[in-house]
Amino acid sequence: MSLTSRISNYFSTGASGAILVDADRSTDFDDEGATGSSIVGGIADRGKSCSAFAMAETQDTETKRPPYIHSMLAGGIGGTTGDLLMHSLDTVKTRQQGDPHYPPKYTSMSSSYATIFRQEGIRRGLYGGVVPAFLGSFPGTIIFFGTYEYSKRNLIDAGVKPQLAYLMGGFLADFAASFVYVPSEVLKTRLQLQGRHNNPFFSSGYNYRSTLDALRTIVRVEGFSALFYGYKATIFRDLPFSALQFAFYEQGQTWAKESCGSRHIGLPLELLTGGAAGGLAGVITCPLDVVKTRIQTQVNTSDSSYAATARPVKRGQPAIPHQKRTISTSSPSTATPKAGQLNLDTSSVLTGLKLIYKTEGIAGWFRGVGPRFVWTSIQSGTMLVLYQALLRQLEEHPLVSGASEGNSII
């Protein structure tokens, strides 16, 4: 056997890692040129196979695209589960941000949890407003994942780079879902702030008997447009968040699959990619969260009722204003304003960002970044892990797989 054959054998059977020794020691030195070409060719082939692994995995993933109905159902169940899991934290933050009293009754996270649980319990206290939360979250996430998959696939098929397609898909998906989840969030946050009907422990200004009564009262008294209150501020924060979240998630999934050499990366990496995507997106969009909270919770000194509601004080002491606060209509803002902060006196997000930076610097933009990172990490990790798990279950279910095979044959 010639040296060329032996080297060729080595590269073709690299799994063994051993070079077979030929009994025939005769070597034709005229084959040295061919031998060198064979070595270079073998190394080049291995390099190409390694560099093409990620591309093959991406193409394999795109080839095995799940049906839209699978993505929508898995996303709806996963997203709703994540939202309901974090609902008690949402309630506490809503009480902190929407408390009309001065000084506020709810201060730190731990004491607020304990107070609401002790006085009002779980069902009407920490999980107040859970009905509209569920009714908005499930259809909202179904629309989100359906729009995301449709946008992403069509953009990639049109030649858009995958990273940009993920970013734009998340942006468009959240915009489509906002028409469902914003009205439900208005109902949810008011019922969270109110607690039980005729709540003896907390006066919020709202006193609805049920979710249906809240809907009817808001439309009758304030008009249908009140269901979309805070829509602009919500869009400014949530669209960039969703776009970044899914761009980071898809890229993290790609890296994890390359590392494992398989489409199934296991639960630890699923949690890591999902949680890291939400947490990182939450940190980056924290300035938008801060300015949204400050705009929605600022003291409205221009209101006609301001002078009448200001508390009388002794001579030489500043008046303590009654704070007129609006309520967040989205996932909980985690930047609770501190006493004495600058009243932004604007509804513009960009103007608010400039004012906060001018008076408080970069630190003002990232106030509350820790709780926001925790909230977005847990919610995102839960939603995306369940999303992937349900997709696999739908794919492997005998009825579903049998139907898919039948359709493919037809």
Side-chain angles (χ1 to χ4, degrees):
M1 180 181 292
S2 66
L3 181 60
T4 303
S5 301
R6 275 182 275 176
I7 293 176
S8 179
N9 263 343
Y10 171 75
F11 284 108
S12 62
T13 60
S16 65
I19 302 177
L20 297 178
V21 180
D22 192 359
D24 185 7
R25 296 289 182 177
S26 60
T27 303
D28 187 0
F29 290 97
D30 292 337
D31 292 339
E32 286 183 359
T35 300
S37 300
S38 177
I39 294 174
V40 173
I43 294 174
D45 289 342
R46 283 201 162 192
K48 288 178 181 177
S49 63
C50 291
S51 62
F53 179 79
M55 184 180 297
E57 283 295 315
T58 303
Q59 290 174 349
D60 181 61
T61 301
E62 291 300 326
T63 302
K64 298 180 180 179
R65 291 171 173 174
Y68 286 116
I69 188 65
H70 289 189
S71 297
M72 294 168 74
L73 285 175
I77 295 172
T80 303
T81 303
D83 288 341
L84 296 183
L85 179 66
M86 303 302 294
H87 188 83
S88 60
L89 175 61
D90 191 0
T91 299
V92 172
K93 295 306 297 182
T94 299
R95 290 285 182 97
Q96 289 180 326
Q97 294 167 1
D99 188 351
H101 305 94
Y102 191 92
K105 177 179 179 179
Y106 303 104
T107 53
S108 69
M109 179 67 67
S110 58
S111 65
S112 299
Y113 258 108
T115 300
I116 297 173
F117 176 74
R118 184 178 65 256
Q119 294 180 343
E120 304 175 49
I122 295 177
R123 183 171 172 235
R124 296 293 184 182
L126 292 173
Y127 272 79
V130 71
V131 173
F134 173 79
L135 295 177
S137 179
F138 187 67
T141 47
I142 283 179
I143 294 172
F144 180 95
F145 277 91
T147 305
Y148 174 73
E149 286 295 329
Y150 180 83
S151 304
K152 177 187 72 173
R153 296 176 189 183
N154 281 275
L155 287 169
I156 291 176
D157 291 344
V160 177
K161 290 185 177 181
Q163 291 79 4
L164 183 58
Y166 304 148
L167 195 71
M168 295 175 64
F171 192 91
L172 293 171
D174 196 274
F175 179 73
S178 65
F179 295 99
V180 173
Y181 74 72
V182 169
S184 71
E185 290 285 340
V186 170
L187 293 170
K188 182 196 73 173
T189 50
R190 292 195 181 192
L191 290 171
Q192 284 177 314
L193 192 63
Q194 166 191 309
R196 69 176 70 175
H197 180 60
N198 293 327
N199 191 347
F201 304 104
F202 182 70
S203 177
S204 64
Y206 303 116
N207 196 27
Y208 307 113
R209 296 181 181 275
S210 64
T211 301
L212 184 59
D213 179 57
L215 176 62
R216 289 174 175 172
T217 303
I218 291 172
V219 173
R220 183 179 70 252
V221 176
E222 304 175 52
F224 182 79
S225 61
L227 293 173
F228 288 88
Y229 184 79
Y231 182 81
K232 182 179 177 181
T234 300
I235 288 299
F236 262 92
R237 184 190 68 176
D238 287 359
L239 262 63
F241 171 81
S242 295
L244 291 171
Q245 177 189 22
F246 276 82
F248 292 148
Y249 175 68
E250 295 279 10
Q251 188 60 56
Q253 284 277 304
T254 300
W255 287 340
K257 290 172 183 177
E258 290 176 14
S259 176
C260 295
S262 171
R263 292 176 61 228
H264 304 296
I265 60 177
L267 182 60
L269 282 178
E270 291 283 4
L271 286 170
L272 179 61
T273 54
L280 187 56
V283 170
I284 293 175
T285 57
C286 188
L288 298 173
D289 181 53
V290 170
V291 73
K292 173 182 180 290
T293 302
R294 295 278 291 275
I295 288 174
Q296 291 190 315
T297 60
Q298 61 188 330
V299 178
N300 189 354
T301 57
S302 62
D303 191 86
S304 59
S305 62
Y306 171 77
T309 56
R311 298 181 182 182
V313 294
K314 296 180 180 180
R315 178 182 294 182
Q317 293 182 349
I320 301 176
H322 169 78
Q323 292 196 3
K324 182 179 180 180
R325 294 183 173 183
T326 55
I327 306 171
S328 171
T329 56
S330 181
S331 56
S333 301
T334 49
T336 305
K338 292 184 177 180
Q341 285 183 341
L342 174 69
N343 185 10
L344 298 183
D345 195 24
T346 180
S347 60
S348 169
V349 174
L350 295 178
T351 302
L353 285 171
K354 292 177 182 178
L355 288 173
I356 292 174
Y357 177 75
K358 185 177 180 180
T359 56
E360 303 173 43
I362 294 293
W365 280 358
F366 289 91
R367 198 176 300 280
V369 67
R372 178 164 174 79
F373 174 78
V374 172
W375 193 95
T376 53
S377 297
I378 297 176
Q379 194 276 342
S380 177
T382 302
M383 175 182 72
L384 294 172
V385 165
L386 286 175
Y387 172 69
Q388 292 294 342
L390 290 169
L391 276 182
R392 287 193 293 271
Q393 289 295 321
L394 288 170
E395 182 183 357
E396 296 169 1
H397 195 279
L399 294 177
V400 176
S401 59
S404 299
E405 290 175 3
N407 292 334
S408 63
I409 293 173
I410 292 172

